[in-house]
Amino acid sequence: MHWYFKIIKEKYESFEGRTGRSEFWKFYAVTVLLFMLTVLLDLLFLALSDDAIYAGCFSLIFSLFMFLPVLAATVRRLHD
């Protein structure tokens, strides 16, 4: 998981350089799994709560937080 946090902390705004195939797909797979976890958390929160105003807030926050790192990793991968 060290490499995952390295991409988020150090390379999240870097659109220059290259990202290796394995690094990109590992990062993408972990990000998708975490997103699925936030969706499940949203569904659990919706099922346990009568207030539907906050439904989807966890996945929305995660998506906004991860938009730039995923975009930067994708652009760096496309440089190959």
Side-chain angles (χ1 to χ4, degrees):
M1 289 299 288
H2 180 269
W3 53 269
Y4 187 80
F5 294 117
K6 181 181 176 185
I7 290 175
I8 292 175
K9 288 180 182 179
E10 297 174 8
K11 298 180 179 181
Y12 76 94
E13 83 284 350
S14 174
F15 289 91
E16 297 176 357
R18 301 187 191 284
T19 298
R21 184 181 302 141
S22 65
E23 180 183 14
F24 172 75
W25 285 113
K26 287 177 189 177
F27 175 73
Y28 191 77
V30 170
T31 302
V32 168
L33 288 174
L34 289 175
F35 179 74
M36 288 170 45
L37 181 68
T38 60
V39 169
L40 288 174
L41 190 62
D42 284 335
L43 291 174
L44 179 67
F45 185 71
L46 182 63
L48 296 177
S49 174
D50 293 333
D51 192 13
I53 293 174
Y54 300 110
C57 66
F58 294 115
S59 58
L60 177 67
I61 291 169
F62 181 76
S63 298
L64 291 175
F65 177 72
M66 292 302 296
F67 176 73
L68 192 58
V70 169
L71 182 66
T74 304
V75 169
R76 285 193 313 269
R77 180 66 196 139
L78 289 174
H79 284 172
D80 278 347

